[in-house]
Amino acid sequence: MNWSNNDKDCAFQSNRNSGFQMNVNGFRISIQFGPGNYIADGDIRYRTEQDAPMTFKHWGTDTAEVLIWDRNNMPIDWDNGDEVVGWVKSDTVGRLIGCLASCPPDFDPTAALNQIVSEIRL
């Protein structure tokens, strides 16, 4: 099986029908919602085979796991010390992307991103 249809870093990439990555204003965000990811659907997270999403034409869940790399290609650490944050709803993903898209070139958005994510834990 081929893992990529080209050998360059694309602005958009899909991941085995259960997530995607995209470049935003010099950052890279990964949104994953398949088996093993930190998502609310326990059947998918714990009891679904890793390749199962590839057998579906459409695959989805209500929450996703998010990882963001900074402009130096280093993962952003969340307030809990992890590089990923889980159980994120689509509205929150939209806010995270908006924060990255509007981030000035010399600004570190980590505090703002953590504030957005902290609101989902309330």
Side-chain angles (χ1 to χ4, degrees), residues 18-49:
S18 60
F20 65 95
Q21 296 178 18
M22 62 188 279
N23 293 341
V24 179
N25 192 18
F27 298 90
R28 187 150 185 95
I29 185 168
S30 170
I31 298 98
Q32 303 298 316
F33 44 86
N37 293 123
Y38 296 114
I39 58 174
D41 189 323
D43 283 337
I44 292 173
R45 181 172 181 202
Y46 296 112
R47 292 178 281 284
T48 303
E49 296 292 326

Side-chain angles (χ1 to χ4, degrees), residues 9-115:
D9 185 25
C10 298
F12 293 95
Q13 290 179 337
S14 64
N15 301 101
R16 305 183 60 75
N17 203 31
S18 60
F20 65 95
Q21 296 178 18
M22 62 188 279
N23 293 341
V24 179
N25 192 18
F27 298 90
R28 187 150 185 95
I29 185 168
S30 170
I31 298 98
Q32 303 298 316
F33 44 86
N37 293 123
Y38 296 114
I39 58 174
D41 189 323
D43 283 337
I44 292 173
R45 181 172 181 202
Y46 296 112
R47 292 178 281 284
T48 303
E49 296 292 326
Q50 287 293 323
D51 290 336
M54 297 297 289
T55 65
F56 290 82
K57 185 174 181 178
H58 300 280
W59 177 268
T61 63
D62 290 328
T63 60
E65 172 184 297
V66 176
L67 171 65
I68 299 173
W69 292 270
D70 66 18
R71 290 180 170 133
N72 296 314
N73 202 29
M74 297 299 297
I76 289 177
D77 288 328
W78 301 99
D79 280 343
N80 63 3
D82 289 335
E83 293 178 353
V84 299
V85 62
W87 305 280
V88 180
K89 295 183 179 183
S90 59
D91 290 347
T92 304
V93 170
R95 292 180 63 205
L96 293 170
I97 292 171
C99 180
L100 297 175
S102 63
C103 184
D106 58 347
F107 183 76
D108 179 359
T110 302
L113 294 167
N114 273 293
Q115 181 176 353

